[in-house]
Amino acid sequence: MAGVAVPIVELTGGVKFPMIGFGTWQSAPDVVGNAVRTAIDAGYRHIDCAWNYFNEKEVGQAIKDKIAEGKIKREDVFITTKLWCTYHRPEDVKRGFQESLNDLGLDYIDLFLIHGPPAFKPGPKWFPTDDSDFDDTDYVDTFKAMESLVDEGLCRAIGLSNFNTQQLERVLQNCRIKPAVNQVELHPYLVQQKLVDFCKSKNVVITAYSPLGSPGRDFAQPGEARVLEDPVVLDIAKNHEKTPAQVLLRYHLDRGIVVIPKSVTPSRIKENLQVLDFSLTADDIKTLGSLDRKNRYVDWSFCKTHKYFPFHDSA
């Protein structure tokens, strides 16, 4: 792994899941390829993708380039992608999966997640503009349809994203194949301890997206509080002689949570992987957790009136 011994967590069925991944959300198609190639060269072996990032062809090409160079083999790199909400109807699940598989140019996916609980009507309009675009498909039925992808050998593990505790519990009670992962927004301004504890009690691995507070997202608000600039984070970083980003990533890793930081800047891509030579103290972790403001930066407000909207409470 390019000399980088990234810790591994084992998913259902013995699937090995690298605890530091490379995020590709809001990475433009014309820059994401170079970012992925840089990440693989740096030692990342876990790439997080999604149908609605609209850059999977470029991500796939970067992976193919590195395989062709002999830098990696397919089995060396863990690929996650996600089923978008317009493909929730059981009869559409495989088609949604296949679109990502084809764009990535792969024979199989390592981890396939439901991107979020709400379903939207099938069709070319991928983003809802009012309630008429919503669909009533139950995410439990969607997940059951995903189980057949594992049976067919098309993906090695399946899971969820943006599910709250009640929704996760419904899936657990009705599934044949247990969801391996719940990928959710987590950082010291959004600790979600109840959800973290629940997932751990059910042996569902948590992946933290936006672990740095998503400062570069295209809908960031002027003047909003940035966890990367919080004086407490800066102080802990100074004490460890690390950057604020490295401290925030370590905060998750020291709590057994997988992280998928995103960057297109080569120096930061490398820096975000250089978090394996230190640990935070118990006091550091407690102090960072006390910063919780319930600040959800990725709030899915575009479907807050949907029957399966997941964020009505902090669970």
Side-chain angles (χ1 to χ4, degrees), residues 187-193 288-295:
H187 42 75
Y189 282 1
L190 184 67
V191 174
Q192 300 203 83
Q193 195 60 48
L288 289 168
S290 73
L291 298 177
D292 191 14
R293 303 178 178 200
K294 295 183 170 52
N295 274 22

Side-chain angles (χ1 to χ4, degrees), residues 66-84:
K66 287 299 164 183
I67 291 173
E69 285 177 22
K71 182 74 176 179
I72 53 170
K73 298 175 182 175
R74 168 61 185 96
E75 58 268 27
D76 295 335
V77 61
F78 190 103
I79 305 297
T80 300
T81 190
K82 308 175 192 76
L83 182 77
W84 184 240

